[in-house]
Amino acid sequence: MGGSMNGDIPARTDQQIAQLREDLLDSMDEEFELEMEDRLGEDAGRPGASASSRIHYFRELFRLQGELVKLQDWVVATGHRVVIIFEGRDAAGKGGVIKRITQRLNPRVCRVVALPAPNDRERTQWYFQRYVTHLPAGGEIVLLDRSWYNRAGVEKVMGFCSDEQYEAFFRDVPEFEKMLVRNGIQLIKYWFSISDEEQHLRFMGRIHDPLKQWKLSPMDLESRRRWELYTKAKEVMLERTHIPESPWWVVQADDKKKARLNCIHHLLGQMPYHEIERPAIVLPQRERHEDYKRQAVPVDMMVPAIY
């Protein structure tokens, strides 16, 4: 291919086309790596999905991720503010769907907040105070990997809060969330629901996978023993905090792939986004100067090319 096309834009050579195709495939490899992590880890030993169902999964996932990019552009263009809460039992798949949502998005627009246990100073603050600092500005999406609902779940079950603090939370949280919504923040809340048997299977997968054992904290193991207490706490939480301004949405998550697709599809339906027209992007010609000479990097600074 020679000459030029589209004015000053040079025609792409076969080598450049091949490189663009390689870059596209490389961008997909990250999702394939996550898929292999699932299949070799928590999914090991269970009946495998057919090749056609995996192809359908990837096709739908990439399509939905394309829509998420459009949603991101709309959020930036309109100055919309969104908080998305992900709650659920340990190993319910919250982290997996968060990874797929953020995978193709700009981290300056869509960011994940996963706070550790409060320190001594934070324990003396207003309960919601440390979350307020992470709320979005205009044109931002914040994903809360666990949230202020820790008080209604793990803190209640593990005895980390008093009965008075627990009741105060249920008295305050509806007003707090209504205040956020009145201020223009859209609040979306997801609960990922898995069965007793499925959580047991996923925990066993993590126990036997050295790459995932870090995911199992002593708190996670204790939560397994207190399954019924967590169930009761979840039921109370949903009943007392399911309000019109910020309702709960329950994601059936025994099938991780379907849960991801269903959650992302539902999320896209929660905002009236549309494709934002972008100006055409033209790569400028690189300036070249006769007196410029690129300096060689010293050999002892180079990372060894082992691969």
Side-chain angles (χ1 to χ4, degrees):
M1 299 173 63
S4 65
M5 58 182 178
N6 298 332
D8 295 333
I9 303 175
R12 294 191 179 97
T13 65
D14 290 342
Q15 182 179 359
Q16 289 173 326
I17 293 173
Q19 181 62 46
L20 289 172
R21 182 175 181 275
E22 190 66 26
D23 288 344
L24 176 61
L25 293 174
D26 186 61
S27 71
M28 295 180 178
D29 281 348
E30 182 180 357
E31 181 56 40
F32 293 145
E33 289 167 7
L34 292 172
E35 165 73 359
M36 289 304 296
E37 178 183 319
D38 285 343
R39 291 180 61 75
L40 296 176
E42 293 164 11
D43 286 348
R46 72 173 71 199
S50 66
S52 61
S53 67
R54 290 198 296 274
I55 291 172
H56 174 73
Y57 165 72
F58 283 122
R59 182 181 293 118
E60 280 299 294
L61 179 64
F62 294 143
R63 183 185 69 81
L64 292 172
Q65 288 178 330
E67 292 299 312
L68 285 171
V69 173
K70 296 178 186 177
L71 173 65
Q72 170 187 256
D73 292 344
W74 176 83
V75 166
V76 172
T78 61
H80 197 55
R81 292 178 290 163
V82 190
V83 173
I84 309 169
I85 288 175
F86 295 88
E87 291 285 350
R89 296 182 188 274
D90 297 307
K94 302 179 296 297
V97 74
I98 289 172
K99 285 180 184 178
R100 274 67 179 189
I101 290 172
T102 60
Q103 194 171 359
R104 316 292 175 189
L105 302 185
N106 183 344
R108 294 185 179 89
V109 175
C110 182
R111 53 190 170 85
V112 179
V113 176
L115 299 183
N119 57 36
D120 291 340
R121 180 175 181 274
E122 289 170 333
R123 289 190 185 96
T124 67
Q125 295 176 341
W126 175 47
Y127 178 71
F128 299 97
Q129 187 168 336
R130 70 187 191 129
Y131 295 100
V132 169
T133 61
H134 297 282
L135 293 176
E140 293 180 352
I141 304 170
V142 171
L143 311 182
L144 291 181
D145 186 356
R146 296 202 182 278
S147 66
W148 45 82
Y149 283 100
N150 277 339
R151 175 138 295 176
V154 62
E155 291 191 17
K156 169 63 175 174
V157 173
M158 302 303 295
F160 295 155
C161 68
S162 66
D163 291 342
E164 292 76 14
Q165 290 173 321
Y166 180 67
E167 285 302 320
F169 171 79
F170 283 124
R171 182 178 63 247
D172 294 343
V173 73
E175 295 306 316
F176 174 66
E177 294 182 356
K178 289 176 184 178
M179 181 176 61
L180 297 182
V181 174
R182 284 197 303 268
N183 193 253
I185 294 177
Q186 182 175 5
L187 181 59
I188 305 170
K189 303 186 300 195
Y190 289 113
W191 174 269
F192 278 68
S193 178
I194 58 171
S195 64
D196 186 353
E197 296 77 10
E198 182 64 20
Q199 188 190 50
H200 177 265
L201 182 64
R202 293 182 188 181
F203 272 14
M204 293 303 295
R206 293 180 180 187
I207 288 172
H208 295 290
D209 184 352
L211 299 180
K212 289 188 176 182
Q213 284 182 1
W214 64 269
K215 292 185 176 184
L216 283 174
S217 68
M219 201 73 64
D220 297 334
L221 298 175
E222 184 62 22
S223 74
R224 179 63 191 161
R225 189 174 71 84
R226 304 192 189 197
W227 170 274
E228 293 180 2
L229 291 177
Y230 269 95
T231 298
K232 293 177 182 178
K234 179 260 295 186
E235 291 169 350
V236 171
M237 182 191 76
L238 295 182
E239 179 182 356
R240 299 183 68 175
T241 61
H242 180 67
I243 60 176
E245 293 82 356
S246 56
W248 280 101
W249 299 101
V250 177
V251 180
Q252 296 297 333
D254 273 6
D255 186 314
K256 289 188 289 188
K257 293 184 180 63
K258 290 181 179 179
R260 294 165 191 160
L261 299 180
N262 288 332
C263 183
I264 296 173
H265 182 274
H266 182 271
L267 174 62
L268 290 167
Q270 299 309 297
M271 284 165 270
Y273 77 96
H274 55 82
E275 188 166 4
I276 301 298
E277 188 173 342
R278 297 182 178 183
I281 300 175
V282 178
L283 187 67
Q285 293 291 327
R286 206 203 88 182
E287 294 183 355
R288 298 179 183 276
H289 301 90
E290 293 182 2
D291 59 345
Y292 169 76
K293 183 177 181 181
R294 186 174 181 178
Q295 300 298 312
V297 177
V299 174
D300 60 357
M301 291 178 62
M302 300 294 290
V303 172
I306 304 299
Y307 301 98

